[in-house]
């Protein structure tokens, strides 16, 4: 016990010295580790805008798909539509009265569609056409990061030939990127993908925030100050997709496959037919007896073995009177005088012979 106390004391002293050395020679200081945004932010380009509008009393409701009927039947007066997830069938007939009554519609053309698939037919009624092209002089155009206009989508541009006066916003290259047409008490605003509303752009420039507010919070009605967004979720690449971007995914994939096969090979039996092992017959009782006798002789426990033999013989004899020699051995054991080695061996042989007859 004293030995363990000394060893424990030495170990504690060593740990104490190490702790003192670390305390005197090392310094703990805070370190800022950059952490990426949560998945709820990366899948939603409008996350920051939604939080901002909610704090200003304009809660946002998001729908993954929409129809003209769902807009007209709702109470929201400010609606932002992603054109690729909206059903444009009979849009002009249904939405025009709603806009003239005070509805403010923002149409985000996020891809180029044929007349029967996208918003082209609806925009034609307003005198608007759009093309999926950057413009003839796009390479020499001034960068959109300058404080000359908000950050617009550079893949969509518009041509307006309508008779109604409209608010038109151009990028630094003079290409039309936004058209706002007033109709009755409401208005229709048509843009490409609303880059200026995205998380990374909203707080970067004041022009982006002002335009986002004018098209959403400022246009919301008094009865229901909320804003309706109809848009899909942004596709976020999985772990394997990010690995594929940084190189060939075949070597790590092959390594993982080899590791899995090797692991199963170590824990599972070999493949093939299972052969039944040959059953081994039990050793004769005489061999077992001799092996047990040698073992007990080594540890001077032959008398204990003799007592066990006598008890087993009685159990198998079912109450019959023991034979003469067996009775004599039992009487000697009861008296506790013990038996010499030669007598023990002779007594065990007698017990063995009787067991074989039972």
């Amino acid at each position: 016990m004293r030995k363990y106390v000394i060893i424990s004391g030495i170990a504690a002293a060593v740990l104490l010295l190490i702790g003192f050395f670390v305390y005197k020679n090392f310094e703990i200081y805070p370190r800022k580790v950059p952490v990426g945004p949560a998945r709820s932010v990366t899948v939603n380009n409008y996350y920051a805008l939604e939080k901002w509008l909610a704090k200003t009393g304009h809660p946002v409701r998001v729908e993954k798909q929409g129809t003209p009927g769902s807009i007209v039947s709702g109470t929201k007066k400010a609606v932002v539509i992603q054109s690729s997830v909206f059903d444009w069938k009979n849009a002009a007939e249904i939405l025009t009265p709603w806009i003239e009554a005070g509805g403010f519609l923002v149409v985000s053309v996020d891809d180029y569609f044929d007349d029967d698939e996208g918003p082209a037919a609806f925009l034609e009624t307003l005198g608007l056409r759009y093309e999926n092209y950057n413009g003839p002089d796009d390479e020499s155009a001034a960068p959109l990061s300058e404080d000359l206009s908000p950050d617009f989508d550079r893949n969509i541009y518009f041509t307006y030939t309508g008779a109604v006066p409209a608010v038109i916003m151009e990028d630094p290259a003079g290409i039309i990127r936004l058209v706002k047409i007033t109709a009755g008490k409401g208005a229709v605003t048509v843009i490409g993908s609303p880059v200026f509303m995205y998380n990374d752009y909203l707080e970067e420039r004041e022009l982006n925030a002002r335009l986002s507010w004018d098209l959403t919070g400022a246009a919301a009605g008094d009865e229901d100050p909320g804003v309706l967004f109809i848009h899909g979720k942004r596709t976020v690449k999985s772990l394997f997709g990010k690995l594929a971007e940084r190189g060939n995914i075949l070597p790590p994939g092959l390594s993982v496959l080899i590791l899995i096969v090797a692991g199963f090979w170590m824990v599972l039996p070999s493949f093939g037919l299972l052969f039944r092992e040959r059953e081994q017959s039990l050793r004769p009782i005489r061999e077992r007896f001799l092996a047990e006798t040698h073992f007990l002789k080594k540890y001077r426990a032959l008398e204990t073995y003799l007592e066990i033999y006598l008890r087993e013989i009685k159990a198998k004899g079912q109450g019959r009177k023991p034979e003469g020699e067996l009775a004599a051995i039992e009487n000697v054991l009861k008296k506790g005088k013990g038996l010499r080695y030669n007598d023990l061996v002779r007594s065990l042989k007698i017990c063995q012979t009787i067991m074989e007859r039972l």
Side-chain angles (χ1 to χ4, degrees):
M1 182 68 179
R2 183 179 179 183
K3 179 180 178 181
Y4 293 115
V5 173
I6 294 174
I7 294 174
S8 300
I10 294 174
V14 171
L15 291 175
L16 185 62
L17 289 175
I18 293 174
F20 181 76
F21 175 79
V22 171
Y23 177 77
K24 285 293 185 180
N25 294 276
F26 293 90
E27 180 182 358
I28 299 175
Y29 63 93
R31 180 182 178 185
K32 293 183 179 180
V33 179
V35 179
R39 185 175 179 83
S40 59
V41 177
T42 57
V43 299
N44 183 9
N45 285 325
Y46 307 94
Y47 182 86
L49 178 60
E50 291 174 4
K51 295 298 181 182
W52 177 33
L53 291 175
K55 288 183 179 180
T56 57
H58 302 281
V60 175
R61 182 165 64 89
V62 179
E63 298 289 344
K64 295 181 180 180
Q65 293 180 342
T67 62
S70 64
I71 295 177
V72 174
S73 61
T75 58
K76 300 289 190 298
K77 294 300 181 181
V79 180
V80 181
I81 297 174
Q82 179 182 340
S83 61
S84 60
V85 297
F86 193 77
D87 183 4
W88 292 97
K89 186 177 181 180
N90 300 324
E93 293 82 355
I94 299 174
L95 292 177
T96 300
W98 174 81
I99 296 170
E100 293 176 349
F104 290 86
L105 182 67
V106 178
V107 179
S108 167
V109 182
D110 61 330
D111 203 350
Y112 186 79
F113 295 91
D114 295 330
D115 293 348
D116 296 335
E117 297 178 0
F122 171 73
L123 298 182
E124 283 285 352
T125 62
L126 303 174
L128 265 174
R129 292 183 60 86
Y130 67 94
E131 296 290 341
N132 187 2
Y133 183 62
N134 292 334
D137 301 322
D138 187 67
E139 293 182 358
S140 60
L144 299 187
S145 59
E146 296 181 0
D147 293 333
L148 300 176
S149 68
D151 290 290
F152 290 117
D153 179 10
R154 304 189 72 179
N155 294 323
I156 301 291
Y157 77 97
F158 301 94
T159 303
Y160 181 61
T161 59
V164 179
V167 177
I168 295 175
M169 296 187 69
E170 301 176 346
D171 65 12
I175 301 173
I176 299 176
R177 303 294 185 178
L178 180 148
V179 179
K180 183 177 181 180
I181 304 170
T182 303
K185 298 180 180 180
V188 180
T189 303
V190 185
I191 55 177
S193 295
V195 180
F196 55 90
M197 292 185 181
Y198 291 172
N199 300 325
D200 297 334
Y201 295 87
L202 185 64
E203 296 181 352
E204 185 176 347
R205 299 172 61 198
E206 185 178 351
L207 284 175
N208 293 337
R210 284 186 177 182
L211 181 58
S212 300
W213 173 258
D214 289 340
L215 298 180
T216 56
D222 296 333
E223 297 180 0
D224 187 347
V227 180
L228 173 62
F229 276 81
I230 302 176
H231 65 80
K233 287 187 176 181
R234 178 184 175 188
T235 303
V236 180
K237 293 181 179 178
S238 62
L239 173 63
F240 293 102
K242 293 178 180 179
L243 289 175
E245 280 186 348
R246 288 163 174 79
N248 188 1
I249 196 173
L250 181 60
L254 186 60
S255 301
V256 171
L257 180 61
I258 294 174
L259 181 62
I260 293 174
V261 172
F264 278 104
W265 190 270
M266 294 175 63
V267 299
L268 295 179
S270 301
F271 294 99
L273 297 176
L274 295 177
F275 296 98
R276 185 175 181 181
E277 295 184 0
R278 184 178 178 182
E279 295 183 0
Q280 297 182 354
S281 59
L282 295 176
R283 298 174 63 183
I285 191 170
R286 183 178 296 276
E287 293 183 14
R288 293 168 55 197
F289 172 77
L290 290 176
E292 293 171 358
T293 302
H294 286 304
F295 176 79
L296 294 173
K297 177 184 175 182
K298 181 180 179 180
Y299 292 98
R300 302 179 183 277
L302 285 175
E303 290 187 9
T304 304
Y305 196 39
L306 186 60
E307 292 175 358
I308 296 173
Y309 251 106
L310 291 173
R311 187 165 60 250
E312 292 296 322
I313 290 172
K314 278 186 176 183
K316 290 189 175 184
Q318 297 181 353
R320 291 182 295 179
K321 291 183 179 181
E323 301 181 14
E325 292 182 346
L326 191 62
I329 296 171
E330 187 176 6
N331 290 332
V332 172
L333 290 175
K334 286 182 178 179
K335 292 178 181 179
K337 294 180 179 181
L339 295 174
R340 292 179 300 176
Y341 175 73
N342 293 334
D343 295 335
L344 278 171
V345 174
R346 186 175 62 84
S347 301
L348 288 171
K349 288 183 178 181
I350 294 172
C351 292
Q352 176 190 354
T353 304
I354 296 174
M355 283 288 292
E356 290 177 348
R357 293 200 300 263
L358 294 176

